[in-house]
Amino acid sequence: MTTTASNSPTNSVPLDVAALRADFPILSRTVRDGKPLVYLDSGATSQRPLQVLDAERDYVLTSNSAVHRGAHQLSEEATDAYEGARAKLAEFVGAEPEELVFTKNATEGINLVAYAMSNAATAGPEAERFRLGPGDEVVVTEMEHHANLLPWQQLCQRTGATLKWFTVTPGGRLDLSTVDEVITPRTKLVAFAHQSNVLGTVNPVDTLVAKAHAVGALTVLDACQSVPHGVYRQGPVDFHALGVDFAVFSGHKMLGPSGIGVLYGRSELLAAMPPFLTGGSMIEMVRMEGSTFAPPPQRFEAGVPMTSQAIGLGAAVDYLSAVGMDRIAAHEHALAERALAGIAEIDGVRVIGPAELTDRGGTVAFVIDGVHPHDAGQVLDSLGIAVRVGHHCAWPLHRACSVPATVRASFYLYNTPAEVDALLAGIREAQKFFGVA
């Protein structure tokens, strides 16, 4: 990698994508009888650079040990590396280290909050603000990934609270014309995606947070599609600046390992919130008659944590920071602009989501008239182009858009304009194959 470290939104130096791609050996392989791989599925999972793999390998070869539970040198080294990764992540997302909890993935992070709110029913007075019951309301949106919908559905079923949601406009934006009807004094929590994993829509965090806080509700931000990419002209995601109460993101979508996610929670909230999982490593004192729990974040990290994954994720943060999140966001913006313009020139292809580039990320979902998305995906795959097809774990959103499934191309820092052109050519090839053009 030859790029210069910078997160400044004023840095407009284009990415040296060819140099970046050298760090990702998988991108040079061929598929389907020698076709060059065109990987356009980073919204599902991103590829990992050598620097991340090396960090995990070096740790396992030299310092592998259980963190927070040994008096020997290896345990000290492992603990320092693990907590060092937490500190890097905290700086990257605008938080304090003690506000970040390592989880198995983002889904577990959301479930942690939902189950902690259930556990609040039997906790002490410090947990009062997390309690839900009949008459209380939880608000989500129609564009949520299932991971940010089902935990709240289940929480409402367990507590008797009511689930409400914002609908989506035909243009792929949240319909906020009903905001005063959806968020009311009964609202206890508002959970929503920063960027849709299907539409690419970037939602107005400031508006929703202000409305939620005005009625005393907590906020949960699904940042899985924004932390890895930044936001065009806004730079890296900063949780303190956004003012959210909780947020989640996952490692494997930001060049890091799978099997690790991060939950952010404001310090005072984590300190008052009951634990989700109990056991070793999360305790303060244990007697047969009862136990007390460690301060956050250890309170929420029961058992031996995912140490090598955390260290790998810390290396991914180093990599993204060195490239510069503003430059990554600008690069993806240019790729999305090229894709949207190219699709607009193909008759019989419709983008599902905003056609304009304002408040939009580098994810483009579309349908081809007369061609089922799964069939289109097979044609693209035969050409070496990896996209995702289906409902993308957002079934209600697809129902709202009156489509059973879509083809989704999602771009990242290592994709090129030529790969966008290959996608456009592949769409035309699918139309020819199925005789619809």
Side-chain angles (χ1 to χ4, degrees), residues 28-189:
S28 63
R29 67 162 291 183
T30 59
V31 294
R32 303 301 182 197
D33 299 326
K35 307 284 193 317
L37 172 65
V38 177
Y39 188 77
L40 303 179
D41 197 20
S42 294
T45 197
S46 61
Q47 300 300 340
R48 298 179 213 175
L50 292 169
Q51 290 84 343
V52 169
L53 301 175
D54 288 345
E56 288 185 271
R57 182 176 184 274
D58 289 347
Y59 162 73
V60 173
L61 290 179
T62 63
S63 303
N64 184 48
S65 183
V67 302
H68 293 307
R69 59 177 63 191
H72 53 78
Q73 181 174 336
L74 291 189
S75 182
E76 288 179 3
E77 292 175 359
T79 302
D80 288 346
Y82 180 73
E83 294 302 334
R86 196 195 309 271
K88 288 179 184 177
L89 281 155
E91 183 175 4
F92 187 68
V93 297
E96 297 299 325
E98 63 270 20
E99 294 178 312
L100 298 187
V101 177
F102 285 125
T103 58
K104 185 173 61 184
N105 46 45
T107 301
E108 184 177 272
I110 295 173
N111 274 275
L112 190 160
V113 177
Y115 276 94
M117 294 183 77
S118 292
N119 294 343
T122 56
E126 73 281 359
E128 174 62 33
R129 68 184 307 177
F130 301 109
R131 292 188 184 118
L132 289 177
D136 293 330
E137 297 172 349
V138 174
V139 172
V140 295
T141 85
E142 209 171 31
M143 69 169 66
E144 296 310 311
H145 186 286
H146 294 164
N148 201 30
L149 171 60
L150 272 63
W152 308 120
Q153 284 182 338
Q154 294 294 305
L155 175 64
C156 288
Q157 289 180 18
R158 291 194 298 271
T159 62
T162 299
L163 187 73
K164 300 172 69 175
W165 56 88
F166 288 103
T167 58
V168 175
T169 69
R173 306 285 184 182
L174 287 184
D175 181 2
L176 296 179
S177 65
T178 60
V179 64
D180 291 330
E181 300 167 25
V182 177
I183 298 178
T184 74
R186 293 180 179 274
T187 305
K188 297 298 183 183
L189 182 139

Side-chain angles (χ1 to χ4, degrees), residues 6 131 164 374 382:
S6 173
R131 292 188 184 118
K164 300 172 69 175
H374 288 88
S382 72

Side-chain angles (χ1 to χ4, degrees), residues 386-410:
V387 294
R388 184 168 176 182
V389 296
H391 53 63
H392 318 306
C393 299
W395 212 335
L397 173 61
H398 280 74
R399 286 199 182 96
C401 295
S402 301
V403 292
T406 52
V407 180
R408 186 187 72 182
S410 48

Side-chain angles (χ1 to χ4, degrees), residues 392-430:
H392 318 306
C393 299
W395 212 335
L397 173 61
H398 280 74
R399 286 199 182 96
C401 295
S402 301
V403 292
T406 52
V407 180
R408 186 187 72 182
S410 48
F411 308 118
Y412 211 179
L413 72 168
Y414 39 63
N415 290 126
T416 67
E419 290 181 320
V420 175
D421 294 343
L423 171 68
L424 299 172
I427 294 171
R428 295 182 187 279
E429 185 66 25

